Amino acid sequence: MTEPVVLPNFESFGDQALKGLESPEEATAATQALLKEDRNAGEPVIDDPGQNHITLERGICREGAWYREAEVRELTGADEEAIAAAGSSSYKVFETLLLRGVRTVGHEFMDRKLASELLIGDREFLVMAIRRATFGNDLEFEQLPCSDCGELVDLTVPLDAIPFTHLPDPEQIEYDVPLRRGAVAAVRLPTGADQAAVLAIKDGNGAKQDSEVLGRCVLRVRHADGSVTKRPAATSLSMSDRKTILKFLTDTQPGPRYADFTFVHDTCGKEVTLPISLAVLFRGM
């Protein structure tokens, strides 16, 4: 008798990209499901997988012009060896995937500097496209137990079914976030460079990680009396304002929402959560 598959602990890299990047998240076992018919609303913009071209949400700006087109390629055995050499760090694996699997963004070839400029959501979308180019559009699961009724089933998850957040205006760089007492924070969305800075904090202090993100992404605060504080110290912000800004940065960041993937189980009728991780996307490598 085939043993049921139990998804291992894995690291989230969707909505948790700003915080707790190295913290494992227990994957919720899912069962055979029927995708909701409205799931296609909000699909990412992606070309024929054979062409390996995608349109990023933000892309890069060069001399006032925006470039959002990117090209990825199928990974080879040489790439697999390089990814294995990256070790157990999800961030190092992620960076290796970008450097090996992305050919170009705009007219520029991928390198570390270019990767660091991209929004976190664009980076995650690129990794999804690399996965599609290498293994196809479907994630296959066998003998998954339903977290509600326990039934074991096989499951096919199309990458296109993963929820996706778009930017209303891809060229908007700054955003106003209303704070308490009539203040307004001008912020920018986090990039790969910000992600690396958060990971450089080794003691696992979530508050310090939050401060790092805020210190880098809060450009200024306009107070109710009209005064402006440029680059305010993250530790000077109230706890309430910090949480408000961090939530805005997380909610507004574009790209795949891997942690939000759900199915409706056909047998018991329950909506079941199945977070998708880097480990799940490239399972077996």
Side-chain angles (χ1 to χ4, degrees):
M1 177 178 177
T2 303
E3 292 295 323
V5 175
V6 179
L7 293 180
N9 289 342
F10 55 71
E11 296 163 351
S12 170
F13 67 115
D15 289 346
Q16 302 303 316
L18 308 184
K19 182 177 180 180
L21 290 168
E22 296 292 349
S23 298
E25 179 182 2
E26 183 69 27
T28 305
T31 65
Q32 186 177 20
L34 179 63
L35 286 174
K36 294 181 178 179
E37 294 182 0
D38 64 353
R39 182 65 78 188
N40 286 336
E43 280 187 7
V45 179
I46 187 161
D47 295 334
D48 182 338
Q51 298 179 11
N52 298 338
H53 287 81
I54 64 172
T55 302
L56 301 176
E57 285 294 303
R58 170 68 58 77
I60 57 175
C61 184
R62 295 293 183 267
E63 298 181 352
W66 287 92
Y67 299 92
R68 299 170 61 206
E69 302 305 314
E71 181 183 2
V72 302
R73 67 173 181 82
E74 180 180 3
L75 298 176
T76 66
D79 300 318
E80 185 175 3
E81 291 184 3
I83 293 166
S88 60
S89 167
S90 62
Y91 182 77
K92 290 181 180 179
V93 170
F94 195 95
E95 285 287 296
T96 304
L97 284 167
L98 288 175
L99 294 174
R100 306 283 301 200
V102 180
R103 292 185 184 276
T104 58
V105 176
H107 303 299
E108 298 183 20
F109 289 101
M110 177 56 71
D111 59 19
R112 292 187 184 279
K113 182 178 182 300
L114 178 57
S116 71
E117 291 183 55
L118 296 172
L119 289 182
I120 291 173
D122 277 347
R123 289 157 58 91
E124 292 174 354
F125 189 21
L126 284 166
V127 166
M128 175 190 279
I130 294 167
R131 197 279 176 197
R132 180 184 277 111
T134 304
F135 296 113
N137 190 58
D138 293 336
L139 293 171
E140 302 288 348
F141 299 92
E142 296 181 354
Q143 296 289 282
L144 290 175
C146 175
S147 58
D148 190 76
C149 70
E151 182 181 71
L152 301 179
V153 295
D154 297 336
L155 180 67
T156 298
V157 178
L159 293 178
D160 295 336
I162 294 173
F164 196 96
T165 296
H166 295 281
L167 290 174
D169 180 0
E171 297 181 11
Q172 182 177 351
I173 301 300
E174 294 187 13
Y175 301 84
D176 286 342
V177 182
L179 305 178
R180 296 186 67 202
R181 299 184 178 87
V184 177
V187 304
R188 65 168 179 80
L189 298 180
T191 65
D194 303 316
Q195 198 172 26
V198 170
L199 278 176
I201 300 174
K202 301 297 185 181
D203 62 5
N205 188 320
K208 284 186 179 179
Q209 292 180 331
D210 289 346
S211 292
E212 183 67 28
V213 172
L214 292 167
R216 298 173 69 91
C217 295
V218 178
L219 306 176
R220 58 189 172 276
V221 173
R222 185 175 68 253
H223 305 281
D225 63 4
S227 63
V228 175
T229 302
K230 294 183 178 180
R231 293 287 183 181
T235 53
S236 70
L237 298 169
S238 72
M239 291 179 64
S240 175
D241 286 346
R242 284 164 62 95
K243 292 182 182 300
T244 296
I245 296 170
L246 288 168
K247 184 178 187 303
F248 177 88
L249 294 177
T250 299
D251 291 348
T252 309
Q253 182 75 231
R257 295 301 201 211
Y258 296 104
D260 295 341
F261 183 74
T262 63
F263 291 95
V264 174
H265 181 204
D266 194 37
T267 299
C268 65
K270 300 292 186 180
E271 185 170 22
V272 183
T273 300
L274 174 61
I276 305 297
S277 72
L278 188 62
V280 170
L281 281 179
F282 291 90
R283 186 172 45 196
M285 288 188 63

